[in-house]
Amino acid sequence: MLLKPTALAIALTSASLLLAGCEPALPVKDSTSSPQWFASGQQAANNAAPQANTSKAKNIILVVGDGMGITTHTAARIYSGQQQGLLGEEFSLSFETLPYSALIKTYNTDQQTPDSAGTMTALVTGHKTKAGILSVSDQAQRSDCASGQQHKLATLFDLAEQQGKTTGIVTTARLTHATPAALYAHSVERNWESDNKLSAAAKADNCRDIAQQLIDQNNSDQALEVVFGGGKRHFLPEQEGGKRQDQQNLLTSWQQQNPQQQVLTNLQQLQQADLTSGRWLGLFSSSHLPYIDQRDTSTPGLLDMTKAALTRLKHNNGKGYALMIEAGRIDHGHHAGSGYKALNETQELHQTVQWLLNNIDLKDTLLVVTADHSHTLTLAGYATRGNPMLGVVKGNDDQGRPKTSAKQLDDGGYYTSINYRNGPGAVDWQQGDRTSVDPERAQQADYLQQALVPLESETHGGEDVALYAAGPWAHLFGGTMEQHWVYHVMHHALTSDNAGSEDRD
């Protein structure tokens, strides 16, 4: 008997096509039966052991969904599938199709629930450290400039530059924000993005702000070829609309250092630039790049910047490249209590990784997709299959058939599938019963999901995050891993000369 393709079979087929560099056909709405689910399980078991690649990695791409916890994965998977006319649950995000995965523990050395500075430092230096500290060891004290002077940590990009590789950063956040900054800056305070935030003691100890460190670094042998994101205000003096108090225009200084160094400020310049050589600093917004639904035609998206960055990095004299891509505004959407924003930003990351899978060679490129930490997003409520991810919950009847009307609670009101443990959408319990969710309002872009604990900004979560990988030595990822181990797998992939070789660096 011939069986129709099932959801899992579709996902497996999509994965194999993506890894082969082909674009999979979109699946149709799921209508599987029990025998089909069983057959798809058999197929998954038969294809569950990909062959390990023990070649030395020529290229490495680290993709970070900032704040992209596992609940965000699940909700974005369903949401993205529903945008394509599917029920949603059967869909797979592009990075979820990668053959190797692991759970990653995210705590900082001083915090159970981490921040991005400490977590990104772990990912790119191989050292855990305190919250708020960028690529400086745990021996330093936060905001104490002198304590960090002798404890700077080498990064993944330092290794790549030593190997003669081209290096680049792409982010939808400010380039001086914690996640991208960990790759080029060493700071005991993540908030020292420009000199206006430096303490008097820090200035006395000759500590450099993060924007200044980027300019200094790019005037050295370890210069980045591509740096694309937001945060222009931290490179400009106050009289030019920036934040700097030292009267410096760092963009002018950077361009004057070398005629091969160019500054880009909008999408049109990015598209017209000859990216076959030179060093490129793209600052496309005063602060973070706008959310997807708020961008105008002059602002590039994550995929636009990734395509441009890879064009430059591939012109590398054959020695390879290292690229970090951050979907930084997933995190900000969650902090704002907006599931809509967080899921749309995650969907953009999914689309960017899908493009990567169609345009890189996993034979010599290690691709790692992970998050730095989680958030307090929850997905619950016994919604029926295919329930709109941003909508109110519709359940099933006693026979398991979907109901046509939304589920009402004992208080007579409705509720959504996704909510937050804390944040600006918190219910005011002092006013009595919970406010019912308006089914029409819940799916609007500016709606904030209900939360339990009232906070101005929703917080990070402390649970493990997921990691997905493919390419050389990706098979070393598995089980539950400490976050700083991720660096050591990437280091091993870049330095191992042959199968079974030991890390000699």
Side-chain angles (χ1 to χ4, degrees):
M1 177 179 66
L2 294 176
L3 300 177
K4 295 180 180 179
T6 64
L8 187 53
I10 289 168
L12 287 167
T13 301
S14 297
S16 62
L17 287 170
L18 281 170
L19 292 174
C22 304
E23 186 78 24
L26 290 178
V28 295
K29 275 214 172 189
D30 177 79
S31 59
T32 53
S33 64
S34 289
Q36 292 168 334
W37 285 117
F38 187 87
S40 68
Q42 284 184 316
Q43 182 178 352
N46 292 337
N47 297 329
Q51 185 176 358
N53 179 349
T54 56
S55 301
K56 186 175 182 178
K58 177 181 178 182
N59 312 306
I60 192 160
I61 302 175
L62 173 62
V63 180
V64 178
D66 198 316
M68 187 176 65
I70 292 176
T71 303
T72 305
H73 279 168
T74 305
R77 173 198 308 147
I78 298 170
Y79 179 77
S80 297
Q82 289 174 347
Q83 302 306 298
Q84 300 184 38
L86 307 176
L87 293 177
E89 295 84 0
E90 72 279 22
F91 189 69
S92 288
L93 298 172
S94 55
F95 45 87
E96 293 179 313
T97 66
L98 300 181
Y100 299 100
S101 60
L103 290 174
I104 305 298
K105 296 191 281 185
T106 63
Y107 64 93
N108 299 141
T109 59
D110 62 340
Q111 284 189 189
Q112 190 175 76
T113 299
D115 97 311
S116 294
T119 52
M120 191 61 176
T121 295
L123 286 169
V124 301
T125 72
H127 295 256
K128 280 187 177 287
T129 194
K130 295 182 176 75
I133 290 179
L134 291 168
S135 295
V136 177
S137 79
D138 178 66
Q139 293 171 276
Q141 300 302 315
R142 183 170 182 177
S143 298
D144 181 348
C145 173
S147 73
Q149 297 285 42
Q150 303 304 316
H151 300 293
K152 297 177 181 179
L153 300 172
T155 73
L156 183 71
F157 275 19
D158 292 328
L159 171 63
E161 290 285 351
Q162 290 166 12
Q163 294 179 326
K165 300 183 187 300
T166 48
T167 51
I169 293 172
V170 167
T171 179
T172 52
R174 294 192 295 268
L175 286 170
T176 50
H177 215 233
T179 302
L183 281 160
Y184 63 83
H186 305 275
S187 179
V188 294
E189 178 52 67
R190 59 172 291 176
N191 293 319
W192 291 348
E193 294 185 61
S194 53
D195 71 315
N196 68 311
K197 290 291 186 179
L198 287 174
S199 64
K203 292 177 180 178
D205 288 330
N206 295 315
C207 261
R208 310 287 270 175
D209 63 84
I210 294 169
Q212 182 69 63
Q213 288 190 56
L214 176 59
I215 299 304
D216 292 345
Q217 192 267 1
N218 246 45
N219 196 30
S220 71
D221 294 336
Q222 302 294 310
L224 297 158
E225 276 70 31
V226 176
V227 197
F228 293 157
K232 184 165 57 176
R233 68 189 190 186
H234 294 300
F235 297 82
L236 298 176
E238 290 179 330
Q239 62 267 30
E240 296 182 40
K243 294 284 188 178
R244 303 197 65 81
Q245 296 178 346
D246 58 8
Q247 311 307 315
Q248 286 196 82
N249 183 322
L250 295 183
L251 301 186
T252 300
S253 300
W254 190 75
Q255 287 182 290
Q256 291 174 345
Q257 289 172 2
N258 189 320
Q260 294 297 311
Q261 296 183 167
Q262 301 294 324
V263 174
L264 304 170
T265 59
N266 59 54
L267 175 60
Q268 290 70 34
Q269 291 177 353
L270 181 68
Q271 292 172 332
Q272 295 167 10
D274 178 5
L275 296 170
T276 57
S277 63
R279 295 172 183 162
W280 300 88
L281 175 57
L283 288 163
F284 303 110
S285 181
S286 177
S287 183
H288 305 299
L289 267 63
Y291 290 109
I292 292 170
D293 62 322
Q294 297 171 354
R295 292 178 197 155
D296 58 28
T297 56
S298 68
T299 305
L302 189 66
L303 182 54
D304 296 315
M305 294 186 292
T306 296
K307 288 179 177 179
L310 208 58
T311 297
R312 173 64 190 93
L313 296 181
K314 283 183 175 180
H315 287 82
N316 53 21
N317 298 320
K319 293 184 178 181
Y321 60 83
L323 172 64
M324 193 286 291
I325 301 168
E326 183 205 16
R329 307 230 64 190
I330 299 171
D331 177 69
H332 303 154
H334 282 317
H335 281 310
S338 171
Y340 174 87
K341 288 181 171 62
L343 297 188
N344 275 283
E345 299 294 318
T346 307
Q347 182 172 251
E348 182 181 42
L349 180 63
H350 147 69
Q351 294 163 346
T352 300
V353 174
Q354 184 162 314
W355 181 87
L356 282 172
L357 288 168
N358 289 333
N359 288 275
I360 62 174
D361 188 351
L362 291 172
K363 292 179 182 178
D364 64 4
T365 303
L366 174 60
L367 174 64
V368 179
V369 183
T370 190
D372 48 354
H373 56 74
S374 184
H375 274 270
T376 71
L377 185 72
T378 64
L379 174 58
Y382 299 120
T384 191
R385 178 82 186 276
N387 198 81
M389 184 45 55
L390 296 174
V392 296
V393 170
K394 293 181 180 179
N396 292 332
D397 63 21
D398 292 341
Q399 286 74 48
R401 295 172 300 205
K403 292 182 177 180
T404 57
S405 58
K407 180 177 178 59
Q408 284 187 291
L409 300 177
D410 291 342
D411 62 12
Y414 305 117
Y415 66 103
T416 52
S417 293
I418 59 171
N419 294 283
Y420 290 96
R421 182 186 181 276
N422 57 48
V427 173
D428 186 358
W429 296 105
Q430 294 181 348
Q431 299 299 317
D433 292 337
R434 177 191 68 91
T435 302
S436 177
V437 176
D438 181 338
E440 296 290 333
R441 183 89 178 87
Q443 298 197 58
Q444 294 177 7
D446 61 347
Y447 176 73
L448 302 184
Q449 277 70 31
Q450 290 187 334
L452 176 63
V453 179
L455 291 175
E456 182 179 352
S457 176
E458 181 266 353
T459 71
H460 295 171
E463 71 272 20
D464 300 348
V465 297
L467 177 147
Y468 303 92
W473 297 98
H475 61 284
L476 297 183
F477 292 113
T480 300
M481 305 177 69
E482 293 283 356
Q483 193 164 45
H484 67 292
W485 296 357
V486 176
Y487 165 87
H488 293 283
V489 174
M490 295 188 293
H491 184 284
H492 186 76
L494 288 173
T495 58
S496 293
D497 290 330
N498 50 60
S501 66
E502 294 297 323
D503 190 342
R504 300 182 178 86
D505 189 12

